[in-house]
Amino acid sequence: MEIIILSLMVLAIGLMMLFSGRWTKRNLLFSIYVPDEQQDRSEVKAIQLKFRNRTLLASVVATLLTGFMLATLSDGWGMAAFIIIIHTLIIVELFIYSQSYRSLKHLKEQEDWMKGKQMVRATDTAIRNDVHVLPAIVYLIPSGLLLLATLYTLFNYPEIPERVAVHWGMDNKPDRFEEKSLMTVFMPAGMGFFTLLIMMAVSNATDMMPLKLNPAARKASAAYEGRTRKNNSYVIFMISMIMALLFSFIMVQQIMMPNEDLPAAFMPVVLIGTFLPVIAGMYLQWKADKDYRHAAAENDKAPYHDDSNYVLGLFYYNKQDPNVWVPKVSQFGMTLNMARTEAKILAILFILVILGPLLLIEFLSK
């Protein structure tokens, strides 16, 4: 059962990259501006098709490899392989995306699509100086906690029993054991440090993304960018702290309470601690979006800046707008117009991809 669930998770993560191969803001494909008269060319469609085929192939191969590894390796090595495959798949698909970007860019430059066209781009680099997110040095705090737990476990390694619990059920009772080894004892440390590295990289990447301001509402747009980046950096750091504490506890419990039941409050604390920062971040982002729409609507009359076109301030719903996709408030990416039938179908498919594994567990467990 676990093999099926984890394999489906890999497949879902891989297939989500297919959303990157669509048109955004009508003229953008793979982050390249494509004039209207060039969009239906066979060469452009061929680049799109090649991206989709390669993404599908990478997703299927990663899914099959995940199933094979989980079925043939021990629990510890299997989970390590699962994590490595997920991150490798993401890197491979980013490489596929970059190849599509380069191919489309080469075609555009080779045939000089912009000949006779003029594009003006205004940039204000001073605004970036006013946007302060958490510096990378703060990640020394969760890293230090995890390092202390690792050293404590290392110094007390002889006290760890020869068979250690490596998995607990929802009832907090250990249900899987493995022979004591450096792999089984210190795998939480490796996973923890790898997770912190990813979190820090994501935080820095978010900070380095270009500031995209709305010329019609420059002041409100700049304030929104600042709030969004700060919120993201705080949420990422809080999740990093929780992950560091979780992996630290998993290591030291092998010494403090070997092969015993976890505390009754462990699972609720983990769930609350994991989801609370995410919920808080979603609320702060919802508030920032709402405030920005109110400010931007004074000068920018685009329908997606009209707060009355949003349900609960979250979902864009405008029957008068024929577009299925409209720009996000953040200017990055697109969001669905839920008044359109096509958008509802896409939303249902997306939910099935996310909830599919959980529904499958419930069905097969009966």
Side-chain angles (χ1 to χ4, degrees), residues 223-242:
Y224 172 79
E225 285 281 352
R227 288 177 65 180
T228 297
R229 292 176 187 237
K230 287 179 183 178
N231 293 343
N232 289 341
S233 67
Y234 295 154
V235 170
I236 292 172
F237 177 71
M238 288 302 300
I239 294 175
S240 300
M241 285 292 298
I242 293 167

Side-chain angles (χ1 to χ4, degrees), residues 12 29 33 47 49 52 56 84 95 103 111-112 121 137 156 164 180 191 196 211 226-227 234 240 252 305 320 323 344:
L29 179 64
Y33 179 84
I47 293 173
L49 181 61
R52 292 169 185 164
L56 284 171
I84 291 172
F95 176 73
S103 298
E111 302 187 359
D112 197 10
R121 185 180 215 179
I137 195 172
N156 292 276
V164 295
K180 171 183 171 182
M191 294 173 64
L196 291 179
L211 290 166
R227 288 177 65 180
Y234 295 154
S240 300
V252 300
H305 284 147
Q320 282 68 49
N323 294 302
K344 294 173 183 175

